[in-house]
């Protein structure tokens, strides 16, 4: 049995359908203009493209009727270029609406080509099946286009994160980030650590899922054995803001995770990245470091590892304020630290009342944000004073 007989259509009917394919396509486009308001607002060249695509679909329907075994192949071939073009200016929902409307027009006009009731039923069944094939082909092509855009976005995102890590604050970086939907004026914090998996897509999915639940945009890149995440928005203040970094830290592998300072915009994110990476290299010196640890809390370890920026911050934030407060305050801090944090011993050594020592310790805490009675703060103060003296001896201060 020939393919034509199998569909119950005569050769004459198929020839008439072939000749009428252009008319059917024009009728479909006219219906689109009448029933779809957004279609009428498309530029003329785009409407002409839809007409050409519809004509290809009408011709493909006749070929489909001639050889149903090759239905999917022929349908995909007929619409291969259509969704790639359509997807630039028509959404998938709109494309499916166009297909549905074209099928309705075909259903209305195809019966006039049938020689009898049997052919009319065959044409009706055929256009319904063909419409289903077209819809599936269109959806598949849109999915392929989305995957291609996703791959491009991933490459673009990797370039942005790499630029931040390298300290590239050019306009090109900001424009690329804006193309990814990032607000260049939003606060930014860089978080670094080890990826939890050797499969980058899995890592990306995990980080994005947690960021989406927290309602925060992120940029991320897996750079070998290092995962770099840039999170938008504040990280201090409310409990919700303070919780964003620990939430994202869960997506990292076991081991240290370090966050740089929160900077006012993406253009300054390279400062946050530099400090976060410095902290990640030095965090091994503090086994009890929190997760994530702030780079500012790792200043002693970073200074001991040779980070000049950490040395500068220790001098500016601790050593200089204590020295400018006067010799009595500086001597009290030195003596207190040397006495192992014993208040009475410090007071006897200085020949002052213990309350005087307490007052001076509180004054030091107000100036530096570090209280000598706290073991961690005591280490920070000791290293800061040492770094300050070494810098002064070298003529750097």
């Amino acid at each position: 049995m020939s393919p034509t007989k199998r569909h119950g259509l005569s050769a004459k009917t198929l020839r008439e359908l072939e000749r009428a394919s252009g008319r059917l396509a024009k009728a479909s486009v006219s219906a689109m203009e009448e029933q779809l308001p957004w279609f009428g607002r498309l530029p003329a060249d785009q409407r002409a493209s839809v007409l050409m695509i519809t004509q290809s679909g009408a011709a493909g329907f006749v070929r489909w009727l001639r050889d149903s075994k090759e239905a999917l192949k022929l349908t995909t071939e007929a619409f291969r270029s259509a969704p790639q073009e359509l997807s630039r200016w028509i959404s998938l929902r709109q494309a499916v609406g166009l297909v549905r409307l074209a099928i309705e027009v075909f259903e209305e006009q195809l019966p006039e080509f049938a020689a009898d009731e049997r052919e009319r039923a065959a044409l009706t069944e055929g256009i319904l099946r063909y419409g289903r094939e077209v819809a599936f082909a269109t959806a598949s092509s849109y999915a392929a286009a989305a995957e291609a855009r996703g791959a491009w976005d991933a490459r673009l995102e990797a370039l942005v994160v790499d630029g931040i890590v390298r300290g590239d604050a050019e306009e090109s970086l900001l424009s690329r980030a804006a193309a990814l939907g990032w607000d260049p004026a939003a606060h930014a914090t860089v978080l670094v650590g080890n990826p939890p998996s050797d499969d980058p897509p899995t890592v990306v999915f995990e980080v994005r899922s947690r960021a989406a639940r927290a309602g925060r945009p992120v940029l991320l890149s897996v750079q070998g054995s290092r995962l770099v995440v840039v999170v938008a928005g504040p990280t201090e203040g409310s409990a919700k803001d303070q919780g964003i970094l620990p939430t994202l830290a869960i997506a990292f592998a076991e081991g240290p995770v370090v966050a740089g300072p929160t900077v006012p915009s993406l253009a300054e994110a390279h400062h946050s990245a530099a400090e976060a990476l410095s902290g990640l290299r030095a965090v091994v010196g503090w086994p009890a470091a929190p997760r994530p640890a702030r780079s500012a809390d790792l200043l002693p370890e970073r200074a001991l590892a040779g980070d000049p920026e950490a040395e500068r911050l220790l001098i500016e934030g601790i050593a200089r304020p204590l020295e400018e407060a006067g010799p009595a305050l500086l001597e009290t801090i030195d003596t207190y630290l040397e006495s192992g944090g014993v208040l009475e011993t410090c007071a006897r050594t200085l020949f002052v009342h213990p309350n005087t020592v307490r007052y001076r310790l509180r004054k030091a805490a107000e100036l530096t944000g570090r209280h000598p009675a706290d073991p961690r703060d005591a280490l920070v103060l000791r290293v800061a004073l040492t770094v300050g003296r070494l810098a002064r001896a070298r003529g750097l201060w």
Side-chain angles (χ1 to χ4, degrees), residues 191-195 225-229 252-253 255-258 277 280:
L191 200 63
V192 296
N194 297 322
S225 61
R226 185 174 66 194
L227 172 60
V228 181
V229 178
F252 286 74
V257 178
V258 179
L277 292 171
L280 187 64

Side-chain angles (χ1 to χ4, degrees), residues 95-118:
V96 172
L98 293 178
V99 172
R100 180 184 295 113
L101 190 54
I103 297 303
E104 290 177 356
V105 172
F106 275 52
E107 281 188 83
E108 292 175 0
Q109 299 197 17
L110 283 179
E112 69 181 72
F113 299 97
D116 51 35
E117 190 64 31
R118 179 175 51 80

Side-chain angles (χ1 to χ4, degrees), residues 21-46:
S21 60
R23 177 166 62 85
L24 291 171
K26 290 181 180 179
S28 299
V29 173
S30 297
M32 295 171 190
E33 292 176 340
E34 293 175 2
Q35 300 183 35
L36 301 175
W38 61 266
F39 184 80
R41 293 192 293 269
L42 291 177
D45 60 332
Q46 294 179 2

Side-chain angles (χ1 to χ4, degrees), residues 175-191:
S175 63
R176 289 169 179 167
L180 293 168
W182 182 279
D183 179 7
H187 287 72
T189 307
V190 176
L191 200 63

Side-chain angles (χ1 to χ4, degrees), residues 12-201:
K12 178 183 177 182
T13 299
L14 291 175
R15 286 194 301 271
E16 291 181 356
L17 284 174
E18 285 180 330
R19 287 194 294 268
S21 60
R23 177 166 62 85
L24 291 171
K26 290 181 180 179
S28 299
V29 173
S30 297
M32 295 171 190
E33 292 176 340
E34 293 175 2
Q35 300 183 35
L36 301 175
W38 61 266
F39 184 80
R41 293 192 293 269
L42 291 177
D45 60 332
Q46 294 179 2
R47 293 198 302 272
S49 296
V50 173
L51 175 60
M52 293 178 61
I53 292 166
T54 309
Q55 288 175 336
S56 297
F61 176 54
V62 178
R63 296 202 308 271
W64 185 88
L65 290 172
R66 291 186 183 279
D67 192 349
S68 61
K69 288 184 177 180
E70 297 294 323
L72 183 58
K73 177 181 177 181
L74 292 172
T75 302
T76 304
E77 179 183 353
F79 281 80
R80 180 165 48 192
S81 62
Q84 295 177 359
E85 182 180 352
L86 282 172
S87 62
R88 298 190 185 99
W89 32 269
I90 295 179
S91 69
L92 176 59
R93 183 188 299 273
Q94 291 172 325
V96 172
L98 293 178
V99 172
R100 180 184 295 113
L101 190 54
I103 297 303
E104 290 177 356
V105 172
F106 275 52
E107 281 188 83
E108 292 175 0
Q109 299 197 17
L110 283 179
E112 69 181 72
F113 299 97
D116 51 35
E117 190 64 31
R118 179 175 51 80
E119 285 196 351
R120 185 177 295 107
L123 285 173
T124 301
E125 179 186 357
I127 192 59
L128 292 177
R129 291 177 56 193
Y130 182 69
R132 182 183 62 189
E133 300 286 0
V134 169
F136 278 128
T138 303
S140 297
S141 296
Y142 266 81
E147 288 180 0
R149 285 194 298 270
W152 170 250
D153 286 350
R155 289 192 294 271
L156 190 62
E157 184 175 14
L159 287 174
V160 171
V161 175
D162 182 62
I164 291 172
V165 171
R166 289 187 292 106
D168 181 5
E170 295 180 358
E171 287 298 323
S172 60
L173 184 146
L174 301 180
S175 63
R176 289 169 179 167
L180 293 168
W182 182 279
D183 179 7
H187 287 72
T189 307
V190 176
L191 200 63
V192 296
N194 297 322
S197 168
D198 293 332
D199 181 28

